[in-house]
């Protein structure tokens, strides 16, 4: 299997963790915006090639990898909602980040203010629903891993603060001590 993506993408990071956990043979093909534009209909990373199969979104990739390894993907409905909530916040945060590079910010757009508010509301909700964070254990669920990938990326890119969210802080601290999560931090490139 070939996972195409960048070392900084939080969506790619989640897939890399799942692939490592699966024990399946795979390689990460470093892929930039130019290459994703011509190689995937979404013009986004990650995408995965497994023989004839092309998967164009981290969610289908995660499900495929989990199922091939005999594991499940978000089987618990609450965990699935946590996964989706974190993904929604991540989509908004990445969108704001990329638009800012083009000089477009919430200061000049009501819709982008709404995107910002969405992220904060999602953080609050996730913080409340993770009241049992001290009991979480390995293997972490995909909902929990998604929250970790969101927080870690957003802090790395200085997109948000989790100072007021004690459960989110504790979750990230726990995940940072998990070797596969630590080894895929966005600051770590191809050289390790
Ligand atoms: N829904 C997609 C989102 C992936 C995504 O947004 N990837 C970003 C990189 S972190 C990207 O490639 N963006 C390029 C663009 O928006 O043109 C997934 O879960 O795989």
């Amino acid at each position: 299997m070939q996972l195409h993506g960048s070392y900084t993408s939080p969506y790619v990071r989640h897939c890399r963790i799942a692939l490592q956990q699966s024990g399946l043979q795979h390689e990460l093909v470093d892929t930039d915006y130019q290459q994703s534009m011509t190689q995937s209909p979404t013009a986004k990373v990650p995408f995965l090639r497994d023989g004839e199969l092309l998967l164009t979104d981290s969610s289908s990739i995660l499900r495929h990898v989990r199922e091939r390894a005999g594991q499940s993907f978000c089987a618990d409905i609450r965990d699935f909602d946590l996964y989706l909530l974190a993904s929604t916040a991540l989509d908004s945060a990445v969108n704001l980040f990329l638009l800012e590079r083009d000089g477009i910010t919430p200061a000049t757009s009501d819709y982008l203010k709404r995107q910002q508010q969405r992220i904060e509301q999602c953080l609050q909700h996730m913080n409340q629903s993770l009241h049992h964070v001290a009991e979480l254990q390995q293997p972490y669920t995909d909902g929990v891993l998604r929250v970790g990938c969101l927080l870690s990326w957003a802090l790395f890119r200085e997109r948000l603060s989790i100072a007021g969210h004690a459960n989110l802080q504790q979750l990230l601290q726990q995940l940072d001590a998990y070797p596969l999560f630590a080894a895929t931090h966005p600051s770590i490139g191809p050289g390790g």
Side-chain angles (χ1 to χ4, degrees):
M1 276 189 281
Q2 286 186 324
L3 178 71
H4 292 252
S6 66
Y7 286 83
T8 47
S9 165
Y11 305 93
V12 175
R13 183 182 190 180
H14 194 164
C15 296
R16 289 170 68 199
I17 294 169
L19 278 163
Q20 289 288 338
Q21 289 174 330
S22 73
L24 297 165
Q25 233 186 1
H26 65 276
E27 60 172 317
L28 176 67
V29 182
D30 203 356
T31 303
D32 62 21
Y33 277 18
Q34 213 64 40
Q35 291 162 321
S36 63
M37 182 59 93
T38 56
Q39 294 180 36
S40 172
T42 62
K44 292 186 181 192
V45 292
F47 58 95
L48 179 109
R49 290 187 197 282
D50 186 3
E52 295 287 293
L53 183 68
L54 168 68
L55 297 176
T56 60
D57 192 282
S58 63
S59 298
S60 54
I61 295 170
L62 287 168
R63 181 174 150 189
H64 181 63
V65 169
R66 296 289 185 216
E67 288 180 356
R68 273 202 57 180
Q71 301 160 351
S72 61
F73 170 66
C74 290
D76 178 274
I77 190 67
R78 285 190 180 80
D79 190 62
F80 187 38
D81 200 62
L82 183 65
Y83 173 88
L84 293 173
L85 202 62
S87 301
T88 295
L90 192 48
D91 290 344
S92 294
V94 169
N95 202 244
L96 285 170
F97 174 68
L98 294 176
L99 285 170
E100 196 177 288
R101 284 180 163 179
D102 286 346
I104 302 165
T105 69
T108 54
S109 158
D110 282 347
Y111 183 66
L112 294 189
K113 285 191 190 81
R114 184 179 168 88
Q115 291 277 55
Q116 248 180 347
Q117 201 180 336
R118 187 188 334 273
I119 296 167
E120 192 44 48
Q121 288 179 187
C122 288
L123 287 182
Q124 273 174 23
H125 191 86
M126 288 186 292
N127 189 58
Q128 280 163 13
S129 56
L130 285 163
H131 51 84
H132 59 305
V133 65
E135 295 151 31
L136 294 178
Q137 280 176 0
Q138 295 176 29
Y140 295 110
T141 63
D142 282 304
V144 165
L145 287 172
R146 192 62 145 203
V147 175
C149 289
L150 156 70
L151 299 178
S152 186
W153 176 84
L155 292 173
F156 172 68
R157 293 292 194 196
E158 299 179 341
R159 308 312 302 171
L160 53 82
S161 159
I162 52 170
H165 301 302
N167 293 333
L168 297 182
Q169 284 177 45
Q170 196 179 337
L171 177 78
L172 194 56
Q173 215 175 356
Q174 243 175 275
L175 284 174
D176 279 338
Y178 173 46
L180 283 183
F181 191 79
T184 51
H185 190 274
S187 64
I188 303 173

